């Protein structure tokens, strides 16, 4: 096998093989010290990574957030020690002590790469296939920004996204969705490197994974480079050069590798996939590799050969000079680019949002909240060119487009709207990648029920604390005749239970506008917006109530400071609550209605405010929402009452279903009276 020489330092000649062995040594040592982890993938991929990072990857360890860096994503995230070794060796702020703390509490080197811990980690990976979808999103973002901002020879947006994938990534269904989309879109600066080692946790994958990967990717419209020896640096370099030369299609490089390469007794076997090699085997591996150094010891000449800080500084300096020229030639575009990449809203954003919300309040439309959502998109996207919308083949139902929508495709990337096709999971994970890349506020739509298909991508958005707006219409049994397969009953509750997921279920056009404002302003996590298919009546509010919508919950019908009972409602059920409360109050009762469009935002308010909305002294509380009821116990207590839907729905017109499930004024009134007696 050919080993080419890459560096000469004094009288010491280091081969690519020796440079790659530094990765192998650090990986097996860290896994052994942690007594858990996956040494096989980093040992098998070390030769690929060495060529990619030393000869191709455009990055600056001193500035991990440089806009025009190439992105590297390890979708097969269980092999995280490959990433940590590369970051440490090339000069990122990831000292050897962090590698020694691999998989330990509060270290920067958790068991799977996590965004926001180690500098240079572009996304959180581990759930297989999602890193691949994130990478598609990063490449998509690059292509759209390039089409918008590049002018003549001043290509200020020009970088590649590299993603490593294993057999497991390509088994996952999300890989089909994301790669089909990437091929159709012609994302030519996306390069996937397939670590084809034929081993997963259960052993040789030939018993359960036999498809022809090159043919599969050819059918997607990808450029396929098959049968590359993943341990031959010259072959790897040739393949990467060929991949970069094709900017019309995404490329997959199929590298034949041996998992755990260098381990005399465990290479090529599942025994090195997800467990330490063991002290005895590590000793034998050191002997076989000719690695004579102690655990976690990397010689100075290796550090010098790997160090990418000077090269990275030069690359960024050249780009900065180009951007200065761009700024002189196109000052307005340059200012917009800088604002968007910094994630800043326009200086006049507050007035934009306030004026629109005031207009909604004054107009008083009775419309479906999905239509109110579209109106908000129309108002805000026209002022925020960073808003990048889309839908999973439900644009006409989700109403996620607006009059200025320009559909992006393989020919025209200078747009702002994406037809994702029926790919809810990939859509959500791709938008995570768009958000991670920077320069956009991504939002996408489907029915609330189909958030289930995308669930793990939503969880990853929340885990990474990235801004991704999920628009979910047809939010309850109110969608009617499509039946229980399409009617969300437990989804609102389960999304509320997801840490760091903000959720809004507005009751009219005014609350819908505030919900959109909150989602656009929230930079530290995703937001789910739940909208109705059916029309919702406008509700009059005074100035204080209008202001308090943004607090997540507020008194919509006050009653006295100490009401007899409180009705808590969201979405389409607020109108029912208001009508019943007005009837009861006319009969001498003292009933308060609390609209709670966002429970997580309400929970963040100070105790004094929450007491003004839900007085502790009033324990007679009733919640009504067209979904499962258990969630509301935190507000109504065990002695409160909840009206909702604790079974799956039925197929019938919406009015019939609300009557069938007891979500009526008559039933709510009776429930309140029963509680008061």
């Amino acid at each position: 096998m050919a080993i080419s020489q890459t560096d000469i330092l004094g009288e010491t000649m280091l081969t690519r093989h020796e440079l790659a062995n530094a990765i192998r040594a650090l990986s097996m040592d860290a896994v052994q010290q942690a007594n858990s982890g996956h040494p096989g993938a980093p040992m098998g991929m070390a030769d690929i990574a060495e060529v990619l990072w030393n000869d191709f990857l455009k990055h600056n360890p001193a500035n991990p957030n440089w806009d025009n860096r190439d992105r590297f994503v390890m979708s097969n995230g269980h092999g995280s020690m490959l990433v940590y070794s590369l970051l440490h060796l090339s000069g990122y702020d990831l000292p050897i002590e962090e590698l020694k703390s691999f998989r330990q509490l509060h270290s920067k080197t958790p068991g799977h790469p996590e965004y926001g811990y180690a500098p240079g980690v572009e996304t959180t990976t581990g759930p297989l296939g999602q890193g691949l979808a994130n990478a598609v999103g990063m490449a998509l973002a690059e292509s759209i920004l390039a089409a918008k901002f590049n002018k003549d020879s001043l290509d200020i947006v020009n970088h590649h996204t590299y993603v490593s994938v294993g057999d497991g990534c390509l088994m996952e269904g999300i890989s089909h969705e994301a790669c089909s989309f990437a091929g159709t879109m012609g994302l030519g600066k996306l390069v996937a490197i397939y670590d084809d080692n034929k081993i997963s946790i259960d052993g040789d994958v030939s018993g359960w994974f036999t498809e022809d990967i090159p043919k599969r990717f050819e059918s997607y419209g990808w450029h396929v480079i098959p049968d590359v020896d993943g341990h031959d640096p010259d072959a790897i370099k040739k393949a990467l050069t060929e991949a970069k030369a094709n900017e019309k299609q995404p490329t997959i490089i199929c590298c034949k590798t041996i998992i755990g390469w260098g381990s005399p007794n465990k290479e090529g076997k599942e025994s090195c996939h997800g467990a330490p090699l063991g002290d005895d085997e590590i000793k034998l591996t050191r002997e076989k590799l000719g690695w004579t150094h102690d655990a976690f010891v990397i010689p100075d000449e290796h550090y010098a050969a790997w160090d990418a800080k000077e090269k990275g500084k030069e690359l960024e300096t050249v780009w900065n000079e180009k951007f200065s020229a761009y700024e002189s030639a196109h000052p307005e575009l340059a200012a917009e680019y800088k604002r968007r990449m910094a994630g800043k809203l326009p200086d006049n954003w507050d007035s934009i949002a306030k004026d629109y919300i005031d207009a909604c309040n004054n107009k008083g439309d009775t419309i479906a909240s999905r239509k109110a959502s579209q109106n908000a998109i129309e108002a805000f996207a026209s002022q925020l060119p960073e808003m990048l919308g889309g839908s999973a083949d439900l644009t006409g139902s989700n109403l996620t487009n607006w009059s200025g929508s320009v559909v992006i495709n393989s020919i025209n990337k200078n747009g702002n709207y994406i037809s994702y096709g029926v790919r809810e999971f990939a859509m959500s994970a791709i938008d995570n990648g768009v958000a991670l890349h920077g320069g956009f506020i991504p939002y996408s739509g489907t029915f609330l029920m189909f958030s289930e298909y995308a669930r793990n991508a939503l969880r990853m958005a929340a885990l990474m604390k990235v801004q991704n707006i999920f628009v979910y219409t047809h939010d309850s049994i109110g969608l009617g005749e499509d039946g229980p397969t399409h009617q969300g009953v437990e989804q609102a509750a389960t999304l509320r239970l997801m840490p760091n997921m903000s959720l809004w279920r507005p009751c009219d056009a005014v609350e819908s506008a505030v919900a959109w404002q909150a989602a656009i302003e929230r930079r530290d996590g995703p937001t789910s917006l739940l909208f109705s298919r059916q029309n919702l009546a406008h509700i009059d509010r005074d100035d204080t109530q209008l202001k308090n919508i943004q607090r997540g919950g507020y008194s919509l019908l006050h009653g006295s400071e100490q009401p007899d009972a409180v009705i808590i409602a969201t979405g389409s059920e607020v109108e029912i609550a208001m009508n019943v409360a007005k009837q009861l109050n006319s009969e001498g009762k003292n009933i308060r209605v609390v609209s709670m469009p966002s429970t997580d935002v309400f929970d963040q308010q100070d105790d004094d405010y929450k007491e003004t909305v839900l007085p502790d002294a009033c324990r007679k509380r009733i919640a009504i929402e067209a979904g499962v009821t258990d969630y509301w116990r935190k507000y109504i207590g065990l002695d409160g009452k909840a009206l909702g839907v604790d079974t799956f729905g039925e197929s019938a017109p919406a009015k019939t279903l609300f009557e069938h499930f007891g979500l009526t004024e008559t039933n709510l009134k009776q429930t309140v009276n029963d509680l008061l007696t």
Side-chain angles (χ1 to χ4, degrees):
M1 183 178 297
I3 300 293
S4 53
Q5 298 162 345
T6 60
D7 207 359
I8 299 177
L9 300 172
E11 297 180 358
T12 302
M13 182 180 294
L14 293 176
T15 66
R16 286 195 182 277
H17 177 73
E18 290 168 326
L19 292 175
N21 284 345
I23 298 172
R24 295 186 172 101
L26 287 173
S27 298
M28 65 183 182
D29 289 343
V31 172
Q32 186 65 33
Q33 178 145 313
N35 198 31
S36 70
H38 301 75
M43 294 176 72
M45 292 187 65
D47 296 306
I48 299 169
E50 187 278 318
V51 175
L52 174 62
W53 278 61
N54 283 326
D55 287 13
F56 291 89
L57 198 70
K58 183 172 62 177
H59 64 121
N60 183 4
N63 183 11
N65 297 318
W66 171 36
D67 289 353
N68 203 46
R69 69 190 182 278
D70 290 338
R71 273 69 170 172
F72 173 73
V73 173
M74 190 168 192
S75 187
N76 45 340
H78 52 271
S80 57
M81 269 310 304
L82 177 71
V83 178
Y84 301 145
S85 299
L86 290 164
L87 294 172
H88 171 72
L89 290 167
S90 60
Y92 285 77
D93 184 16
L94 192 67
I96 195 69
E97 288 74 21
E98 292 292 346
L99 276 64
K100 293 179 180 178
S101 297
F102 178 54
R103 287 183 162 233
Q104 304 310 300
L105 185 64
H106 302 316
S107 77
K108 293 182 179 179
T109 52
H112 291 80
E114 291 190 38
Y115 177 69
Y117 282 66
V121 171
E122 299 284 1
T123 181
T124 299
T125 57
L128 293 175
Q130 282 211 61
L132 174 55
N134 294 165
V136 171
M138 293 173 189
L140 177 66
E142 190 276 344
S143 67
I144 300 169
L145 285 172
K148 168 68 176 178
F149 289 102
N150 288 352
K151 299 296 178 183
D152 303 320
S153 61
L154 297 174
D155 53 341
I156 59 167
V157 182
N158 184 3
H159 51 266
H160 283 71
T161 301
Y162 298 94
V163 55
S164 70
V165 299
D167 294 301
C169 291
L170 298 186
M171 289 185 225
E172 288 285 2
I174 191 173
S175 72
H176 295 265
E177 294 183 28
C179 294
S180 169
F181 175 84
T184 299
M185 283 290 172
L187 299 179
K189 290 184 181 175
L190 173 65
V191 179
I193 301 169
Y194 172 30
D195 178 33
D196 183 9
N197 61 34
K198 303 300 184 189
I199 295 293
S200 66
I201 292 175
D202 280 356
D204 188 330
V205 300
S206 61
W208 51 87
F209 185 54
T210 58
E211 66 228 46
D212 189 322
I213 293 299
K215 287 183 179 178
R216 172 180 152 190
F217 276 79
E218 285 174 5
S219 75
Y220 292 152
W222 284 54
H223 172 210
V224 177
I225 303 176
D227 298 322
V228 176
D229 184 343
H231 301 293
D232 182 346
D234 292 332
I236 297 163
K237 185 172 183 177
K238 179 182 177 183
L240 284 165
T241 301
E242 182 181 339
K244 282 195 68 175
N246 185 347
E247 294 192 356
K248 299 296 184 182
Q249 300 169 281
T251 296
I252 184 168
I253 302 172
C254 301
C255 292
K256 302 290 185 182
T257 63
I258 299 172
I259 191 170
W261 192 91
S263 171
N265 298 303
K266 295 188 176 184
E267 68 175 18
K269 300 175 182 178
E270 65 272 16
S271 57
C272 70
H273 174 91
L277 297 182
D279 290 332
D280 292 342
E281 186 66 14
I282 286 177
K283 181 180 179 180
L284 293 173
T285 303
R286 275 183 155 77
E287 292 174 359
K288 181 176 179 179
L289 295 177
W291 189 263
T292 60
H293 317 290
D294 291 338
F296 296 106
V297 173
I298 303 296
D300 290 343
E301 61 265 29
H302 282 74
Y303 278 125
W306 270 102
D307 192 348
K309 292 193 293 293
E310 188 61 35
K311 181 171 67 175
K313 180 181 178 181
E314 292 176 4
L315 288 167
E316 186 171 355
T317 297
V318 170
W319 183 82
N320 286 336
E321 291 170 353
K322 180 179 288 187
F323 191 82
S324 293
Y326 181 86
E327 205 163 15
S328 297
H330 308 284
E332 291 183 1
L333 279 174
E336 182 184 337
Y337 172 85
K338 289 166 70 174
R339 178 187 68 79
R340 287 174 57 169
M341 292 305 291
K344 294 181 179 179
L345 294 170
D347 292 339
N348 64 338
W349 165 250
D350 288 344
S351 62
I352 291 170
K354 183 180 184 304
D355 290 348
Y356 179 68
I357 291 166
D358 287 345
C360 287
N361 194 45
N362 294 331
K363 190 175 183 182
D365 278 341
T366 292
I367 53 177
S369 57
R370 63 169 173 167
K371 179 59 180 176
S373 167
Q374 185 179 45
N375 292 345
I377 294 170
E378 181 81 31
F380 295 151
S382 62
Q383 305 298 314
L384 300 173
E386 60 264 44
M387 287 183 67
L388 179 65
S391 175
D393 202 46
L394 286 169
T395 295
S397 295
N398 298 148
L399 304 184
T400 39
N401 60 343
W402 60 290
S403 64
S405 290
V406 176
V407 176
I408 294 163
N409 54 42
S410 62
I411 304 301
N412 176 37
K413 297 295 195 306
N414 191 7
N416 57 12
Y417 195 82
I418 302 166
S419 295
Y420 278 104
V422 187
R423 301 184 179 101
E424 297 89 353
F425 192 4
M427 173 180 72
S428 304
I430 288 169
D431 271 5
N432 283 345
V434 169
L436 288 161
H437 180 280
F440 296 96
I441 298 175
Y443 70 93
S444 59
T446 185
F447 289 175
L448 175 59
M449 185 66 246
F450 303 137
S451 66
E452 296 293 345
Y453 279 127
R455 172 70 58 162
N456 201 247
L458 273 62
R459 187 176 188 272
M460 296 296 280
L463 180 63
M464 291 189 284
K465 301 179 180 179
V466 297
Q467 183 179 32
N468 194 349
I469 302 174
F470 304 106
V471 179
Y472 295 129
T473 66
H474 297 60
D475 67 344
S476 73
I477 59 171
L479 65 90
E481 296 86 343
D482 276 338
T485 60
H486 285 53
Q487 293 165 5
V489 292
E490 75 274 27
Q491 282 67 39
T494 58
L495 286 171
R496 288 180 180 126
L497 290 171
M498 187 178 290
N500 202 42
M501 173 63 73
S502 189
L503 182 141
W504 290 76
R505 186 173 184 250
C507 75
D508 67 358
V510 178
E511 285 191 0
S512 297
V514 174
W516 263 107
Q517 178 190 10
I520 288 168
E521 291 177 357
R522 186 172 193 239
R523 313 300 293 190
D524 60 352
T527 303
S528 292
L529 302 177
L530 278 54
F531 297 118
S532 72
R533 179 189 184 220
Q534 70 272 33
N535 286 343
L536 306 182
H538 170 75
I539 297 174
D540 292 326
R541 298 170 179 84
D542 60 31
D543 290 342
T544 299
Q545 290 170 321
L546 188 63
K547 182 178 180 181
N548 284 341
I549 297 172
Q550 64 185 326
R551 304 187 79 161
Y554 63 105
S555 296
L556 194 52
L557 189 64
H558 293 301
S560 67
E561 290 186 8
Q562 294 301 327
D564 296 331
V566 176
I567 303 173
I568 307 169
T570 77
S572 50
E573 291 70 67
V574 170
E575 182 181 356
I576 298 172
M578 288 290 286
N579 290 341
V580 168
K582 289 175 181 177
Q583 292 174 34
L584 290 169
N585 289 347
S586 70
E587 297 169 5
K589 303 292 196 309
N590 182 7
I591 309 301
R592 174 177 297 179
V593 174
V594 170
S595 178
M596 189 86 76
S598 179
T599 59
D600 60 279
V601 173
F602 178 74
D603 288 348
Q604 294 168 17
Q605 304 306 306
D606 61 83
D607 290 341
D608 288 345
Y609 176 75
K610 287 188 280 191
E611 173 66 20
T612 67
V613 178
L614 295 175
D616 191 60
C618 180
R619 305 309 302 168
K620 297 184 184 302
R621 301 178 181 181
I622 305 95
I624 179 170
E625 183 176 60
V628 294
T629 59
D630 279 357
Y631 181 85
W632 292 102
R633 291 293 169 193
K634 66 186 289 188
Y635 301 108
I636 64 175
L638 295 177
D639 53 347
K641 300 291 184 182
L643 298 182
V645 183
D646 286 319
T647 67
F648 294 115
E650 298 284 352
S651 180
K655 185 175 184 297
T656 302
L657 290 176
F658 273 76
E659 292 171 353
H660 173 74
F661 287 104
L663 298 173
T664 63
E665 293 179 16
T666 300
N667 194 35
L668 177 58
K669 184 176 181 180
Q670 184 63 52
T671 301
V672 175
N673 281 326
D674 289 348
L675 197 63
L676 291 174
T677 56

